[in-house]
Amino acid sequence: MSRLIIVSNRVAPISEGGPAAGGLAVGVYDALKETGGMWFGWSGDVVAEPPQSITLEERGRVTFATIGLAQRDYDQYYRGFSNATLWPAFHYRPDLIQFDRDEFDGYCRVNRWLAKQLAPLLKADDVIWVHDYHLIPFAQALRDEGVTNRIGFFLHIPFPATQVLLSVPRHRVLVEALCSFDLLGFQTAPDLRAFCDYIETQANGSVVRIAGEPNAVSAFGKTLRAAAYPIGVYPDEIALLAKDGESGREVQTVKTTLRDRKLIMSVDRLDYSKGLVERFRAFEKLLEHQPAQRNNVSFVQIAPPTRADMDTYRDIRLQLEAESGRINGRYAELDWTPIRYIHRQYERPVLAALFRASHVGFVTPLRDGMNLVAKEYVAAQDPDDPGVLVLSQFAGAAQELNGALIVNPLDIAGMADALAAALAMPLKERQARYTDMFAQLRENNVSVWRDNFMRDLQA
Ligand code: GDG
């Protein structure tokens, strides 16, 4: 069997069964353990120049190959073009795009440099699977190093509509680079359609669509295939984790302080794409329109810090602190804080158990490739008394989770109405919706995602 080589910006810190291991990391690591192989990427360290050499760490049949980034590379490739240009653009926020030509050059330079580091470690029949927007030019860079192996790419975030992508300077260079991969994977059919639309309308390329098979794409003198592979979770494992966590200290504390009040739960990295400010305002609207809910429901928002060294992320944090303070000031009572906003990370079993203890999962990104929290929320529910998922129409997960109450995250009053409906929903309806969604999660779990992608890459 060919070795599998995973390339991602960060190599996931996996401790087997450990609390930090998320669905994606576990799914990919499982595949690596089965086939044997290597996981290559940035170590997460910013190091002094000249760049360090690769650190190799063997665990069973898997080699973790990591390397540090120099400060300039981190600034240009990671903080710059990846997260200040591509991230906002791909999340439909052209107003937040910052473009700097040197950062774009740095992004391409780091991709070439990483490819140069990896190339000597490759064997002739290795299959290479590259992940996410940091590494769009990676296949092209490997090809320049003479690598002829199969190379696939999965985009975890949305692929924007053509008119939005056109706002990214150098968009053509990026899409041409994408065409050096053999297989492109997107989260959802709309993302795939957006990519094909660009190919047909901007790149003078062609797309052949055959039902049940990846699209055949020709553009820039290259041929490749492209399809949607919605990422999943392991629902049964999450359900167990949630049940086991019920007796944990954190969950007991929350239950005690809630008394008989209902609980609305949200968990997101503190990112402007996640729609947190709008969500806080929707909860405020609920309290405003339905006085009976006051002192009868609490909203817990866990939002661990991310990319905290960027201005746009500092801004959203300040905005959120202001909104939670304002809303709590308006509605809090001596024995009740309406919003508990927690800017900190929790362990996975605690989150799962909190999901299970809650009545509503409130997941309302302005845009999201998939949103695993939505799937984890459903997986964690108690089948005898499940909570209700209120989900943004702009999360990739909304394409699959038909049992959720689907909302427009810009419609504050509409979200408040959905919260009210969720809080009042009878048990029978909650169970029917949950059963439907849990079956869907099982049918398309993270192994299915990985196996479908690998099958098409190797075909
Ligand atoms: C990208 C795409 C796509 C969150 N807080 C804590 C914590 N988490 C975990 C969640 C979940 C993961 O992090 C976040 O995944 P999401 O999918 O919700 O969002 P992104 O981080 O933006 O991920 C996204 C995903 O890639 C996969 O393809 O779905 O659209 O943007 O697993 O549970 N985990 C722990 N403590 C926390 O405080 N342990």
Side-chain angles (χ1 to χ4, degrees):
M1 207 196 290
S2 310
R3 285 196 315 172
L4 173 59
I5 311 295
I6 299 285
V7 185
S8 60
N9 170 57
R10 282 293 303 274
V11 173
I14 300 256
S15 54
E16 201 130 7
L24 158 67
V26 175
V28 166
Y29 187 38
D30 274 358
L32 274 173
K33 282 190 291 189
E34 247 164 62
T35 57
M38 183 161 61
W39 195 333
F40 172 72
W42 176 34
S43 60
D45 299 324
V46 176
V47 297
E49 286 192 76
Q52 317 280 305
S53 55
I54 296 185
T55 304
L56 295 177
E57 192 193 327
E58 310 276 343
R59 268 187 245 167
R61 304 178 64 202
V62 182
T63 305
F64 289 81
T66 54
I67 192 157
L69 283 181
Q71 185 67 50
R72 183 175 76 130
D73 291 344
Y74 170 83
D75 288 340
Q76 297 184 335
Y77 149 84
Y78 179 74
R79 211 165 63 112
F81 192 70
S82 292
N83 284 319
T85 309
L86 290 179
W87 180 272
F90 281 39
H91 287 85
Y92 289 76
R93 292 297 301 270
D95 57 314
L96 296 180
I97 291 178
Q98 292 167 27
F99 178 74
D100 177 298
R101 196 180 286 184
D102 293 338
E103 289 177 354
F104 177 74
D105 292 344
Y107 174 82
C108 297
R109 182 187 66 243
V110 170
N111 268 271
R112 284 195 302 271
W113 172 70
L114 288 170
K116 231 185 212 348
Q117 305 299 312
L118 177 64
L121 304 178
L122 294 173
K123 297 182 183 162
D125 66 343
D126 285 347
V127 175
I128 305 164
W129 187 4
V130 179
H131 290 261
D132 232 358
Y133 60 100
H134 317 85
L135 298 169
I136 288 173
F138 199 77
Q140 201 171 47
L142 277 180
R143 299 284 180 234
D144 290 345
E145 293 298 313
V147 172
T148 55
N149 303 49
R150 285 283 161 96
I151 315 176
F153 178 81
F154 185 77
L155 184 67
H156 289 262
I157 65 176
F159 192 89
T162 298
Q163 289 304 317
V164 176
L165 184 53
L166 293 181
S167 60
V168 179
R170 309 297 168 89
H171 53 85
R172 201 179 159 83
V173 177
L174 291 168
V175 178
E176 180 169 3
L178 272 179
C179 291
S180 289
F181 287 96
D182 297 301
L183 176 67
L184 297 179
F186 299 94
Q187 295 272 24
T188 65
D191 300 308
L192 173 65
R193 276 201 296 276
F195 172 75
C196 293
D197 180 71
Y198 184 101
I199 291 294
E200 289 176 323
T201 64
Q202 309 296 318
N204 203 20
S206 71
V207 180
V208 180
R209 297 167 176 85
I210 305 168
E213 283 184 36
N215 291 349
V217 177
S218 306
F220 304 104
K222 310 210 173 79
T223 57
L224 61 149
R225 286 164 316 136
Y229 304 89
I231 192 169
V233 296
Y234 285 121
D236 292 282
E237 285 180 17
I238 294 170
L240 275 182
L241 209 61
K243 199 162 187 307
D244 289 350
E246 261 176 331
S247 52
R249 190 175 49 83
E250 288 91 345
V251 180
Q252 287 311 314
T253 308
V254 170
K255 282 189 171 165
T256 310
T257 55
L258 274 177
R259 285 188 260 139
D260 290 330
R261 295 185 195 102
K262 291 197 167 170
L263 173 61
I264 299 173
M265 266 303 299
S266 295
V267 176
D268 312 75
R269 286 184 304 99
L270 182 39
D271 194 297
Y272 53 80
S273 66
K274 302 290 183 184
L276 287 106
V277 173
E278 292 77 5
R279 192 182 303 162
F280 281 22
R281 291 183 183 151
F283 181 68
E284 177 186 29
K285 192 65 87 190
L286 173 77
L287 301 178
E288 193 180 306
H289 285 176
Q290 302 216 358
Q293 300 284 5
R294 295 178 202 163
N295 210 337
N296 276 320
V297 58
S298 284
F299 170 32
V300 171
Q301 170 73 61
I302 294 177
T306 176
R307 303 172 201 164
D309 56 352
M310 296 178 65
D311 287 344
T312 40
Y313 287 78
R314 271 192 291 268
D315 291 349
I316 185 75
R317 182 170 64 81
L318 293 176
Q319 227 183 327
L320 220 54
E321 286 169 0
E323 280 304 275
S324 57
R326 184 183 63 74
I327 298 165
N328 281 338
R330 183 172 172 198
Y331 286 109
E333 294 173 22
L334 288 174
D335 64 343
W336 173 60
T337 309
I339 301 181
R340 300 186 206 175
Y341 158 58
I342 305 171
H343 186 43
R344 169 151 58 84
Q345 201 175 356
Y346 279 86
E347 299 207 326
R348 240 175 119 65
V350 176
L351 295 182
L354 285 173
F355 287 161
R356 191 177 170 96
S358 72
H359 301 82
V360 181
F362 198 15
V363 186
T364 54
L366 302 175
R367 285 281 162 184
D368 220 323
M370 178 54 60
N371 196 300
L372 291 179
V373 170
K375 293 189 167 183
E376 291 162 355
Y377 181 81
V378 172
Q381 295 311 300
D382 175 358
D384 293 331
D385 187 17
V388 179
L389 177 65
V390 175
L391 179 63
S392 163
Q393 68 185 89
F394 299 121
Q399 305 282 322
E400 288 170 87
L401 298 178
N402 298 323
L405 297 183
I406 302 293
V407 295
N408 179 336
L410 298 172
D411 177 3
I412 306 295
M415 286 197 283
D417 289 348
L419 285 178
L423 289 165
M425 192 180 285
L427 177 63
K428 267 208 154 26
E429 183 178 348
R430 282 188 278 130
Q431 282 177 322
R433 288 172 180 271
Y434 159 80
T435 307
D436 181 61
M437 291 193 283
F438 197 86
Q440 170 63 29
L441 294 184
R442 266 195 180 143
E443 196 180 303
N444 186 39
N445 71 16
V446 74
S447 317
V448 173
W449 165 75
R450 177 195 72 207
D451 293 347
N452 286 347
F453 186 90
M454 291 308 295
R455 178 201 60 212
D456 290 346
L457 179 57
Q458 284 172 305

